[in-house]
Amino acid sequence: MSANTDRHENAVARYFEAWNAGEPEALAKAVAGAWSVEGTYTDPLAAVTGHAEIAELIAGAHAQFPGFVFRPLGAVDGHHDTARFAWELVSGADGSAPVAGFDVITLDEDGRIRSVVGFLDRVPAGA
């Protein structure tokens, strides 16, 4: 495994840690560990910049889908400062996964996320 692959996989692991953090303090800490200060997140439903806005977006997802966790689907694929990976949002109660997609991240020189561009492949009606 190359150092670049480790860098990509570590960044994606921190990304999922942030998306699965529940308490506000843990969420703020995980977002700060995963994203650069001016990091961005963009998908078809949102476009936010900075730790506070990213944490607010993640908290909103938890409010909309209580008891769900984000988990990776397959391997992280990356080169240079860019990686892509698939994910799904899974219910802890019944294992259903009503939301799925894939994200493309760009890393800064420290290995933190500079930008996320997300794509939604499966979204429930009315979400």
Side-chain angles (χ1 to χ4, degrees):
M1 185 176 296
S2 74
N4 233 17
T5 300
D6 287 345
R7 184 170 181 251
H8 296 134
E9 289 181 357
N10 289 338
V12 171
R14 289 191 309 272
Y15 175 85
F16 281 105
E17 182 180 334
W19 275 97
N20 288 320
E23 298 299 318
E25 287 181 24
L27 175 56
K29 182 178 178 181
V31 167
W35 269 269
S36 64
V37 173
E38 295 298 322
T40 63
Y41 177 92
T42 306
D43 70 18
L45 305 174
V48 297
T49 300
H51 293 171
E53 289 183 9
I54 293 167
E56 185 177 329
L57 175 72
I58 292 171
H62 285 277
Q64 186 174 3
F65 294 96
F68 284 73
V69 295
F70 287 87
R71 72 175 178 202
L73 285 174
V76 175
D77 180 28
H79 60 82
H80 297 87
D81 291 332
T82 305
R84 65 180 177 167
F85 55 93
W87 54 267
E88 64 183 353
L89 183 62
V90 181
S91 168
D94 64 13
S96 64
V99 183
F102 79 91
D103 293 347
V104 177
I105 62 173
T106 304
L107 304 177
D108 68 11
E109 58 280 349
D110 296 325
R112 293 188 343 184
I113 299 168
R114 184 177 349 167
S115 68
V116 176
V117 177
F119 297 85
L120 302 172
D121 296 325
R122 183 173 61 240
V123 179

